[in-house]
Amino acid sequence: MDVRAQLVMVFNLDKCIGCHACSLSCKNIWTDRKGAEYMWWNNVETKPGVGYPKKWEDQEEFKGGWVADGHNLRLKAMGKGPTLLNMFFQPNMPKLEDYYEPFDFDYGNLYGAKGGDDQPVAEAFSQITGEKMAHIKAGPNWDDDLSGSQVYASADVNLEDKKIIEQYSTMFMQYLPRICNHCANPACVASCPSRAIYKRGEDGVVLVDQEVCKGWRFCTSACPYKKVYFNWNSGKAEKCIFCFPRTETGQCNACAHSCVGRIRYVGVLLYDAEKVEQALLKPDNQLVEAHRGVILDPRDEAVREGARKNGVPEQWLEAAEKSPVYALIKEFELALPLHPEFRTMPMAYYIPSLSPVLTSGGELHELVEHGTIPTREALRAPIGYLASLFGGGNRDVVAAALEKLIALRIHMRAKNLNQPTDEASLGKAGLDEAGAKRLYRLFTIGGYNERNIIPPQQREELDSHTRKGASGFGILKKTGRGKR
């Protein structure tokens, strides 16, 4: 058993209001320099939609992540031979138009223009070339809230039935905030020829060594989530750093700190690195359960002893016991990985939202009565769509999470109105009275220190092998990728 500690974030999509406060706080702190204008280490996408960069989920086009090849995993994009042949050319990398050409406006012209008959305007100009832009074709959050648009929503690769977004009675929309997942099996780390990207041993954060990076951009191609960016000014790769200067002092990430809806939870997970490879070789529809099987119980004394041998400090073990992310991912099995079929084992998880309710059904669109709290079948977001996002196609794991959320609402509503509660309904959804109470507190009245349990780090006290950073697990060790 090879016990590793990882800082993990969970997103409760049922509470995200799409305000982009997280994106702006991240942008202001980390990407306010030349060459990073188009970088959104944290962004909030409208689903269904094409996302950012456009159609990043389509790995038939971008060929990111890993694929199971018999008893081994291999990078979907290329092996060692093609890597050398494509050293100066990345055929599967998003183009600038898949993001957008960063622009600004010539505000100086508004007050510096010479006198004339026409009102001066602030014309747009490219922040890359400095030339004027007659037509702006895209920008950040370009398709924000355009769920029913045939231009954007219909291009969502997860949407099987396009007719759903063609009728007002069946349209649906939800928000999907995204950061780098700081995966347990990061494809970006394995693909880097210069070994500039590494996974830190002490907290699992994936970072880019700017002094080593040569700007080959294999990391951008290999990352299936397209969360590694290229700084066109410095010629280096850049990405989300999980706000490690903040988390090292026990503070939560800037995006989580600024979140208006309090949808984010940050905490410690312990996982068995020896089991990761075999877990990722499972079929797509078994990957969620395989993910859960890798996560270890922090109260198990054998696990704690294994963690100590790997240099995990006691305060991290204490934080893992109280971790809100462990409760949401492993105990209650509510939080699910985003596109587990990419096989990077993402360490960011999502609680699916209870989407708007279908108000009409049948060919005549007659009104449908569902009562105060709807059943799962009455929710607008198709279960197949959510399974494509969070279940590797496994509808059952998504349905089970939704059933628990609905049962929790029914139970707490009855308690708040002093009505009889139905313990059998809770039990059928996999909950009990104590579990419902814990979830209710986490979702509603839980304070900052309950939603974010982040142990500070004393790096000088850490074991030498954890301080340098670890590449993750067996596959990366075999290929010699990462730092150890």
Side-chain angles (χ1 to χ4, degrees), residues 99 106 139 189 306 407:
Y99 299 94
D106 184 12
V189 173

Side-chain angles (χ1 to χ4, degrees), residues 51-80:
Y52 180 79
K54 293 176 184 175
K55 300 184 73 173
W56 61 268
E57 295 163 287
D58 187 357
Q59 302 314 320
E60 294 305 312
E61 178 178 349
F62 291 124
K63 296 181 171 33
W66 303 81
V67 292
D69 187 5
H71 298 289
N72 296 291
L73 293 177
R74 62 173 176 81
L75 290 173
K76 188 178 181 70
M78 55 188 70
K80 293 182 179 178

Side-chain angles (χ1 to χ4, degrees), residues 393-414:
N394 188 334
R395 297 170 180 243
D396 292 339
V397 293
V398 176
L402 294 177
E403 293 287 3
K404 286 178 184 176
L405 294 174
I406 292 172
L408 175 64
R409 289 195 176 194
I410 293 174
H411 178 76
M412 293 310 303
R413 182 177 186 275

Side-chain angles (χ1 to χ4, degrees), residues 232-246:
W232 58 267
N233 182 59
S234 66
K236 306 284 187 179
E238 297 187 21
K239 60 179 291 299
C240 161
I241 60 174
F242 207 76
C243 285
F244 75 83
R246 295 175 59 90

Side-chain angles (χ1 to χ4, degrees), residues 92-379:
N92 308 120
M93 191 173 65
K95 301 178 178 63
L96 183 61
E97 53 264 30
D98 292 321
Y99 299 94
Y100 64 92
E101 186 170 0
F103 57 88
D104 203 346
F105 297 94
D106 184 12
Y107 294 108
N109 188 51
L110 293 179
Y111 54 83
K114 296 180 180 180
D117 297 330
D118 299 322
Q119 171 69 33
V121 296
E123 294 182 281
F125 66 92
S126 169
Q127 290 185 298
I128 296 178
T129 66
E131 298 177 356
K132 292 182 179 179
M133 299 175 63
H135 302 287
I136 298 175
K137 298 180 179 179
N141 305 311
W142 196 250
D143 61 342
D144 202 18
D145 297 336
L146 295 179
S147 175
S149 167
Q150 293 302 298
V151 178
Y152 300 107
S154 61
D156 191 319
V157 298
N158 303 289
L159 201 59
E160 297 175 352
D161 185 3
K162 309 297 182 183
K163 293 182 180 179
I164 291 174
I165 57 172
E166 294 175 359
Q167 304 176 56
Y168 179 76
S169 60
T170 57
M171 277 183 192
F172 72 98
M173 188 193 82
Q174 65 180 29
Y175 297 110
L176 182 71
R178 295 204 301 124
I179 62 171
C180 168
N181 297 298
H182 298 277
C183 307
N185 181 33
C188 59
V189 173
S191 67
C192 180
S194 56
R195 301 184 182 180
I197 305 187
Y198 61 99
K199 186 173 178 65
R200 298 209 310 184
E202 59 264 38
D203 55 12
V205 174
V206 177
L207 298 175
V208 182
D209 189 332
Q210 295 290 293
E211 295 183 0
V212 178
C213 179
K214 302 295 188 297
W216 299 120
R217 288 177 273 189
F218 285 94
C219 51
T220 302
S221 295
C223 175
Y225 303 95
K226 294 298 172 276
K227 275 299 175 180
V228 186
Y229 299 87
F230 179 72
N231 186 309
W232 58 267
N233 182 59
S234 66
K236 306 284 187 179
E238 297 187 21
K239 60 179 291 299
C240 161
I241 60 174
F242 207 76
C243 285
F244 75 83
R246 295 175 59 90
T247 59
E248 284 181 356
T249 59
Q251 303 177 74
C252 75
N253 315 61
C255 57
H257 189 88
S258 64
C259 179
V260 175
R262 303 199 305 179
I263 78 163
R264 299 180 186 229
Y265 303 83
V266 184
V268 178
L269 275 189
L270 301 179
Y271 70 96
D272 187 353
E274 289 182 351
K275 293 183 178 179
V276 172
E277 182 174 7
Q278 288 304 311
L280 294 175
L281 288 171
K282 299 289 186 183
D284 289 357
N285 61 0
Q286 298 178 25
L287 285 172
V288 173
E289 291 298 336
H291 276 222
R292 292 170 179 163
V294 170
I295 298 170
L296 301 171
D297 184 353
R299 300 172 186 85
D300 188 321
E301 191 53 44
V303 171
R304 297 171 69 87
E305 186 59 33
R308 293 187 186 103
K309 288 180 180 178
N310 268 357
V312 178
E314 287 298 323
Q315 58 185 349
W316 274 64
L317 296 180
E318 293 173 8
E321 281 192 58
K322 304 173 185 176
S323 175
V325 300
Y326 177 79
L328 294 172
I329 298 168
K330 181 77 171 185
E331 286 187 47
F332 296 108
E333 298 184 343
L334 283 172
L336 306 169
L338 178 64
H339 288 296
E341 70 276 11
F342 296 164
R343 289 181 166 77
T344 61
M345 191 164 282
M347 285 296 173
Y349 291 78
Y350 294 81
I351 299 174
S353 64
L354 295 177
S355 61
V357 183
L358 286 169
T359 56
S360 62
E363 294 182 0
L364 300 178
H365 299 288
E366 66 274 10
L367 288 177
V368 179
E369 296 294 336
H370 297 297
T372 305
I373 299 178
T375 61
R376 177 176 59 80
E377 293 75 17
L379 301 177

